[in-house]
Amino acid sequence: MKTAKQYLGKQLNTMLSEIQLDDNNFIVNVQRELLKGNPLPKTTFYALIDATKEKADSLLELLGELNENDEITAFSGLSITPTNHKFIVQGKTLYTWCALDAILFTEWLDVSSQIISQDPIDNSLIELNIDCDHLVSSNPYPIFLSLVEKMDSCNIRGSFCNHVSFFASEQTAKQWLDSNANGKILTLEDLFESNKIGLKCC
């Protein structure tokens, strides 16, 4: 992964510094628990976080979502609650808050994933298969991905995730860009090294 990963890493580190945490490795540990497909009890979350309960609760407020039983159903973009982006790993269907999450989490969690999404303009089906940091296949190809460069750490989904989608064609990506002057459009080549892009479907 190239610039997009660096950008999100910088944003995440900025948010963690606000609550005086220097290490973001715990995020992967929490997400691996969510990969099991079940809500995560807060007691398990606290055990995974090397921080005070006060800081852990601040993290949940910034990066988590809870169900009616006060269990964690999403954390830092990975969710067991349905969104527009299916993230299928080892036969379990999870979801991500945005299109970019689905690509990045495959590498961060060192898994193989099938990503199923829709173009928000014309509802075209989009499917990616990724093995860690290798794009195995994309249907269609090429596809495009929207990005906004400003994120409100108090409203990550509203300010960032809800604006980051897959597009099945350059035409629909440009339609989105026409209505989002502060956005930009990425290609798969912006996200993967050229030698890590495999089968390209039409």
Side-chain angles (χ1 to χ4, degrees), residues 97-122:
W97 288 348
C98 74
L100 187 57
D101 285 342
I103 293 176
L104 295 180
F105 293 168
T106 304
E107 179 180 353
W108 289 352
L109 296 168
D110 193 20
V111 295
S112 296
S113 71
Q114 179 187 21
I115 299 163
I116 300 174
S117 188
Q118 281 186 310
D119 185 315
I121 302 296
D122 67 4

Side-chain angles (χ1 to χ4, degrees), residues 141-201:
Y141 186 93
I143 62 170
F144 302 84
L145 189 143
S146 57
L147 187 70
V148 291
E149 294 189 331
K150 290 186 178 180
M151 180 191 300
D152 178 358
S153 62
C154 295
N155 182 20
I156 296 171
R157 290 192 72 174
S159 66
F160 182 80
C161 298
N162 292 347
H163 305 284
V164 181
S165 301
F166 291 113
F167 296 87
S169 69
E170 187 174 9
Q171 179 182 2
T172 56
K174 285 182 176 178
Q175 284 182 249
W176 177 87
L177 196 58
D178 287 342
S179 302
N180 294 271
N182 295 322
K184 63 186 297 186
I185 297 297
L186 303 179
T187 67
L188 290 176
E189 284 73 16
D190 293 316
L191 299 170
F192 293 91
E193 301 293 343
S194 59
N195 64 339
K196 294 182 178 179
I197 297 179
L199 178 66
K200 303 173 182 179
C201 300

Side-chain angles (χ1 to χ4, degrees), residues 6-157:
Q6 294 168 354
Y7 167 73
L8 280 191
K10 182 178 179 181
Q11 293 292 326
L12 183 58
N13 288 333
T14 298
M15 283 187 286
L16 295 180
S17 68
E18 293 175 3
I19 52 176
Q20 300 178 328
L21 283 175
D22 300 322
D23 187 357
N24 61 19
N25 290 333
F26 65 86
I27 293 176
V28 171
N29 295 331
V30 173
Q31 290 186 334
R32 282 182 177 147
E33 287 295 319
L34 283 174
L35 277 179
K36 297 175 182 177
N38 301 309
L40 188 65
K42 278 189 175 180
T43 51
T44 303
F45 176 77
Y46 293 145
L48 293 169
I49 306 297
D50 185 18
T52 64
K53 183 177 180 298
E54 181 181 8
K55 287 185 178 180
D57 285 336
S58 294
L59 274 174
L60 273 180
E61 188 173 347
L62 276 176
L63 300 174
E65 291 183 349
L66 306 175
N67 63 14
E68 65 277 5
N69 297 319
D70 212 29
E71 299 169 314
I72 300 161
T73 56
F75 190 72
S76 192
L78 183 65
S79 177
I80 63 174
T81 303
T83 71
N84 293 332
H85 314 289
K86 285 186 179 180
F87 184 68
I88 303 171
V89 176
Q90 295 180 341
K92 286 187 168 57
T93 299
L94 292 95
Y95 304 85
T96 62
W97 288 348
C98 74
L100 187 57
D101 285 342
I103 293 176
L104 295 180
F105 293 168
T106 304
E107 179 180 353
W108 289 352
L109 296 168
D110 193 20
V111 295
S112 296
S113 71
Q114 179 187 21
I115 299 163
I116 300 174
S117 188
Q118 281 186 310
D119 185 315
I121 302 296
D122 67 4
N123 296 318
S124 295
L125 186 66
I126 294 168
E127 182 177 336
L128 300 170
N129 287 281
I130 304 175
D131 182 12
C132 190
D133 62 346
H134 285 68
L135 176 66
V136 178
S137 65
S138 167
N139 189 11
Y141 186 93
I143 62 170
F144 302 84
L145 189 143
S146 57
L147 187 70
V148 291
E149 294 189 331
K150 290 186 178 180
M151 180 191 300
D152 178 358
S153 62
C154 295
N155 182 20
I156 296 171
R157 290 192 72 174

